[in-house]
Amino acid sequence: MTIELPHGDEASAATALPRPGAVLELLKPVTWFPPMWAFGCGVASQPGPVGARIGVILSGIVLAGPLVCATSQAVNDWFDRHVDAINEPGRPIPSGRVPGRWGLGIACGWTLLSLFVAALIGVWVFVAAALGLALAWAYSAPPLRLKQNGWFGNSACALCYEGLAWVTGAAVMADGALPDWRIFIIAFLYSAGAHGIMTLNDFKSVEGDRRMGIGSLPALLGVERAARVACIFMAIPQIFVVALLTLWGCPVHAIIILLALIAQCLLMPRLLENPRARAPWYNGTGVTLYVLGMLVSAFALRSILAGGA
């Protein structure tokens, strides 16, 4: 399938400039929150004076959201332009508002800008950003195109959006040192849970995924079964977080996260009644509780590492 340009003039489209609003839409600011939040959780989890490193912290937040995450969105939209022509033809590339090969150019330019900013911040930040960008390209671009399989693709996204961003924030606060092993464990657990959140985001594109051979979990398993799998993926890691924080001497934080998890589980049956229609609703309720639990876990880690637990 090919994309038909709105005016049928490919030559003029190749030289036309996209409008700033269309470029901003391509970079999808609404998607920047998860990695920025995870980066903030990483900052909160590592003891140290925030004020003394506020400039680096703000740079890291920009790197996590408007740069690395935005790059992943541009890369995905370029290599998904044929699928989007079916699912969401009004998006910037299939609609022609980002014409010609501008989508690919923006993705490449944002990749280089992200690496440049990461290098200015520090070695560990650069390593994490480079890994995140590599996964972003591997997720969408051939020959790997990890999103062809929902198990692999969702894992790559979840690792970038949650785990890498969290560890990077902690490394910034640790002045470039390797964060404590407990931070890695909690960041990994929340990354595993985010696999389920990624599945919720795939319900809206299931028809196009099936037609184009993209094996998202709703396309592979069916909508109802994929919704159950998403709920399991979100719940089980939080159980481990509760257990670990209790073991490490933070029972109050563990109880708060447990209560948030119970609330999520009470909301899940409503999601399962109609996953496609109610996935946005659950994102605003259950997933909100999930990310608030991340911050509670971050404060627990800070207390543990500071010797206060």
Side-chain angles (χ1 to χ4, degrees), residues 2-309:
T2 58
I3 301 172
E4 293 184 2
L5 296 167
H7 302 292
D9 189 348
E10 297 186 12
S12 62
T15 58
L17 295 175
R19 292 184 177 181
V23 173
L24 184 62
E25 186 180 343
L26 177 69
L27 300 176
K28 295 189 189 68
V30 71
T31 67
W32 301 348
F33 172 77
M36 292 168 69
W37 180 266
F39 183 92
C41 288
V43 169
S45 67
Q46 177 67 44
V50 174
R53 302 195 60 77
I54 191 64
V56 178
I57 291 169
L58 292 176
S59 298
I61 291 173
V62 171
L63 178 67
L67 291 177
V68 173
C69 182
T71 298
S72 73
Q73 299 303 319
V75 172
N76 186 63
D77 270 26
W78 173 255
F79 289 103
D80 256 12
R81 59 197 186 278
H82 300 117
V83 180
D84 289 340
I86 299 171
N87 290 324
E88 298 176 85
R91 280 191 173 187
I93 294 176
S95 69
R97 290 180 293 119
V98 175
R101 299 178 67 84
W102 270 101
L104 179 60
I106 291 169
C108 293
W110 237 247
T111 297
L112 295 176
L113 179 60
S114 299
L115 290 172
F116 175 74
V117 172
L120 294 178
I121 297 175
V123 174
W124 285 114
V125 175
F126 178 81
V127 170
L131 179 57
L133 290 165
L135 286 172
W137 281 87
Y139 174 79
S140 299
L144 292 179
R145 197 158 165 75
L146 297 176
K147 70 179 300 174
Q148 290 288 128
N149 182 292
W151 299 107
F152 298 142
N154 286 3
S155 297
C157 279
L159 179 62
C160 290
Y161 275 46
E162 305 296 347
L164 273 177
W166 187 311
V167 171
T168 303
V172 165
M173 280 299 293
D175 198 19
L178 194 66
D180 186 89
W181 60 273
R182 286 164 288 194
I183 288 177
F184 278 90
I185 290 177
I186 297 299
F188 171 78
L189 286 170
Y190 277 109
S191 292
H195 190 288
I197 299 174
M198 298 300 113
T199 299
L200 294 181
N201 294 332
D202 286 335
F203 289 133
K204 65 181 181 296
S205 58
V206 64
E207 285 90 357
D209 289 346
R210 286 170 176 162
R211 289 174 61 181
M212 300 301 294
I214 295 176
S216 64
L217 291 192
L220 283 174
L221 306 177
V223 170
E224 290 75 16
R225 189 179 175 194
R228 290 193 295 271
V229 169
C231 290
I232 292 170
F233 262 90
M234 285 184 281
I236 291 179
Q238 293 179 82
I239 295 173
F240 279 98
V241 170
V242 169
L244 286 173
L245 293 185
T246 302
L247 180 65
W248 295 338
C250 285
V252 174
H253 297 81
I255 289 171
I256 294 172
I257 296 168
L258 178 61
L259 292 174
L261 174 58
I262 291 171
Q264 292 168 59
C265 291
L266 292 174
L267 295 170
M268 285 176 183
R270 179 173 169 80
L271 167 69
L272 295 175
E273 289 175 1
N274 191 345
R276 295 185 65 181
R278 292 177 180 161
W281 166 80
Y282 192 81
N283 276 328
T285 54
V287 174
T288 297
L289 291 168
Y290 180 94
V291 299
L292 289 175
M294 291 173 59
L295 186 59
V296 174
S297 297
F299 285 130
L301 285 169
R302 186 181 188 90
S303 177
I304 292 165
L305 298 178

